[in-house]
Amino acid sequence: METSEAESSSNSTVMKGWWKMGEMPVAIKTAPAAITEESFKEGQKYLRSEAQITAREDYFGIVKVLDLVKHNDELLMIMEYLKKEDNLRERLSSGQKFKRKDILRMSTQLCSILSNLQSKEIGQNQAAVLHRDIKPDNIFDNGEFIKVIDLGEANITLKTTESVDSRGTPGYVAPERYMKKEETPASDIYSLGATIYEFSTGKRLFDLVHKDGRQREDLDIMREQMLAKKMN
């Protein structure tokens, strides 16, 4: 398997590779770089969980997982390859303005994708899946169909669940996640609303930096979110 174009984030590293004797371009995802054995195991657990959720054939609009392989004791998740220029964050950062028909199409498809995730019955507990990190960075659109990626934070949950942490992206995470309160499918809907607002207007719902250029703290954003929720 050949690889190239590695891109790293705090969550993982994704490389472009070729599958099936170089005939098929794929994305290869690894767990975050680990400092300790405990953090290594945690990263492997997240990757395995993401692969198990994403591999379900009845989930439409979710990036397709082709295989989960082990290389030098490290898991590699092999996924369908999506073009970087189709990523919504890339398109928004370039200043692209979306037409009304595309906004309606993308919004409708995203609602259907989340509804599909949340309505499936998994196992005997009739559980739903919460994505927990809906944002433009995790959405690809080729002009016809939406694909959602990065279910590493996803939970398989019984209708509701207690948030164990506030991991996620400031400005998109629902207020209850910050407060470690009950988390429901509505938490994903909140993130979806912030995302639709952004690609509809070209502006973030909540700015992540101060006017003087300083990075805003999570607590500042949470206060603004809570105030907006109270006013509504």
Side-chain angles (χ1 to χ4, degrees):
M1 182 191 306
E2 300 177 53
T3 61
S4 66
E5 302 179 21
E7 293 187 12
S8 299
S9 70
S10 59
N11 296 324
S12 61
T13 296
V14 179
M15 302 169 284
K16 181 179 179 181
W18 286 265
W19 192 243
K20 305 287 186 183
M21 299 297 290
E23 298 175 358
M24 180 180 178
V26 293
I28 305 168
K29 184 175 183 178
T30 67
I35 298 176
T36 65
E37 183 177 352
E38 182 178 353
S39 62
F40 174 79
K41 291 180 178 179
E42 183 74 6
Q44 299 299 293
K45 183 187 77 171
Y46 269 86
L47 200 64
R48 189 180 296 278
S49 174
E50 179 178 2
Q52 289 174 340
I53 295 173
T54 310
R56 284 184 57 125
E57 294 183 357
D58 54 351
Y59 284 155
F60 61 83
I62 302 297
V63 64
K64 185 177 180 180
V65 170
L66 304 173
D67 204 351
L68 185 67
V69 299
K70 183 172 284 189
H71 177 69
N72 293 336
D73 293 326
E74 183 178 12
L75 290 175
L76 303 177
M77 188 164 68
I78 314 300
M79 306 178 294
E80 66 175 305
Y81 178 73
L82 303 175
K83 295 180 179 179
K84 184 178 180 179
E85 56 265 30
D86 290 341
N87 181 259
L88 284 196
R89 172 61 64 215
E90 292 287 330
R91 297 169 71 177
L92 286 167
S93 297
S94 70
Q96 179 177 348
K97 305 294 183 182
F98 292 98
K99 296 180 180 179
R100 183 177 180 181
K101 65 176 184 178
D102 288 322
I103 292 172
L104 291 173
R105 174 184 57 79
M106 292 190 296
S107 300
T108 301
Q109 288 186 22
L110 283 168
C111 287
S112 296
I113 291 168
L114 279 190
S115 177
N116 181 252
L117 276 176
Q118 295 175 358
S119 64
K120 295 298 182 184
E121 296 183 355
I122 302 177
Q124 298 178 349
N125 293 325
Q126 298 184 351
V129 173
L130 305 185
H131 185 286
R132 303 179 81 231
D133 200 19
I134 293 292
K135 57 183 178 181
D137 311 62
N138 289 335
I139 299 169
F140 286 74
D141 175 57
N142 64 5
E144 188 175 3
F145 297 109
I146 286 282
K147 286 280 188 177
V148 175
I149 67 168
D150 202 0
L151 275 78
E153 293 290 339
N155 266 356
I156 299 178
T157 176
L158 296 176
K159 305 301 179 183
T160 65
T161 183
E162 293 296 323
S163 290
V164 296
D165 54 52
S166 59
R167 279 183 292 191
T169 304
Y172 303 95
V173 174
E176 59 266 27
R177 290 276 303 279
Y178 281 113
M179 301 174 70
K180 298 185 180 180
K181 290 191 174 182
E182 183 181 90
E183 187 177 354
T184 73
S187 303
D188 270 357
I189 301 302
Y190 182 97
S191 303
L192 176 61
T195 298
I196 291 175
Y197 177 90
E198 186 169 351
F199 65 67
S200 298
T201 65
K203 300 178 181 178
R204 293 178 188 261
L205 182 59
F206 297 99
D207 289 328
L208 301 184
V209 294
H210 292 285
K211 291 182 179 180
D212 61 7
R214 290 182 297 110
Q215 187 75 23
R216 297 181 67 192
E217 298 294 331
D218 287 0
L219 184 59
D220 293 335
I221 299 170
M222 183 194 75
R223 287 170 178 161
E224 190 172 339
Q225 287 176 316
M226 293 299 293
L227 178 60
K229 188 174 183 179
K230 186 176 181 180
M231 292 176 66
N232 291 333

